[in-house]
Amino acid sequence: MGKIIAIANQKGGVGKTTTSVNLAASLGVLEKKVLLVDADPQANATSGLGIDVESVETGTYQLLEHTASAEDCIIETESPNVDIIPAHIDLVAIEIELVDKDQREYMLKTAVEHLKTAYDYIIIDCAPSLGLLTLNALTASDSVIIPIQCEYFALEGLGKLLNTVKSVQKIHNTNLDIEGMLLTMYDQRLRLSNQVVEEVQKHFSDMVFETIIQRNVRLGEAPSYGESIIKYDVSSKGASNYLSLAKEIINKNA
């Protein structure tokens, strides 16, 4: 039975999409069957795996509207063992359209729950907000990964996110776990980076992944080629970091 993992943080620029795409690709090369669900209207996870966003006709929007089945929305990617449910800019409208629907927080769960028999991991790339889209993702998920960038203000807004997770656990999804907090954009030369790592590990100890994602030029370049870091430069530090994270998750869930 597969596991659904949301990657969420309402702050932008913390490495959510980078993590979604590269964790999916890493799990794929480790021979796990993966589905990536792009639940961010910016659709960066979709373009990051080489799919032309403009050509997307059925994706997360139709899935949440329940006008298309999950099977209709799935596209194979060039990344081994990785499929995607793509996003399109029209996803922006979904929050307004869902607002008066019954069971609006459960739209994604209803649509993808049955896919757990077909995939080892379903990864949901969340939008940088705590709106209805992210709420749907957290309600549908078994666990959540929280990326935290090793920069000033890293912990700002974290309390808010943890409160959202708590209220989802209380109201919509009692089984939601925190898979872990992932430190991203780490630069060992910077004192600030090291201070953030210490602070996060001190506050959240067991909840923090051992793997730390380091700042890496290749990691930043890969999306502009529509490739994961694994395909773009498997020998890079970025690739070895994400492979290490994938192994950590596989071992944790073994």
Side-chain angles (χ1 to χ4, degrees), residues 74-94:
I74 292 171
I75 299 176
E76 253 182 62
T77 73
E78 286 182 10
S79 221
N81 296 319
V82 180
D83 293 340
I84 189 169
I85 293 181
H88 183 275
I89 189 66
D90 60 8
L91 191 56
V92 162
I94 199 75

Side-chain angles (χ1 to χ4, degrees), residues 69-145:
S69 72
E71 285 75 8
D72 293 338
C73 302
I74 292 171
I75 299 176
E76 253 182 62
T77 73
E78 286 182 10
S79 221
N81 296 319
V82 180
D83 293 340
I84 189 169
I85 293 181
H88 183 275
I89 189 66
D90 60 8
L91 191 56
V92 162
I94 199 75
E95 306 230 338
I96 299 156
E97 291 175 26
L98 287 184
V99 94
D100 14 342
K101 296 220 171 160
D102 270 350
Q103 301 280 301
R104 58 178 183 261
E105 296 90 353
Y106 298 90
M107 293 303 197
L108 188 57
K109 185 182 176 74
T110 315
V112 300
E113 182 76 14
H114 68 284
L115 294 173
K116 285 166 84 168
T117 54
Y119 291 94
D120 297 308
Y121 291 96
I122 297 172
I123 290 173
I124 307 173
D125 184 28
C126 294
S129 76
L130 291 177
L132 203 44
L133 261 175
T134 299
L135 206 52
N136 259 277
L138 293 174
T139 303
S141 297
D142 298 303
S143 66
V144 55
I145 290 175

Side-chain angles (χ1 to χ4, degrees), residues 4-30:
I4 303 180
I5 302 177
I7 297 185
N9 189 330
Q10 77 274 28
K11 279 179 72 136
V14 298
K16 274 190 301 293
T17 300
T18 303
T19 295
S20 302
V21 167
N22 294 311
L23 175 57
S26 300
L27 288 164
V29 297
L30 295 171

Side-chain angles (χ1 to χ4, degrees), residues 196-232:
V196 172
V197 170
E198 275 172 35
E199 203 171 326
V200 172
Q201 287 173 339
K202 188 175 79 188
H203 281 294
F204 300 105
S205 57
D206 295 352
M207 288 160 76
V208 187
F209 284 111
E210 274 175 39
T211 303
I212 294 177
I213 309 298
Q214 296 170 345
R215 264 199 189 286
N216 179 246
V217 176
R218 309 296 276 169
L219 211 46
E221 292 170 351
S224 60
Y225 293 88
E227 291 179 353
S228 73
I229 190 63
I230 305 296
K231 190 164 183 221
Y232 181 64

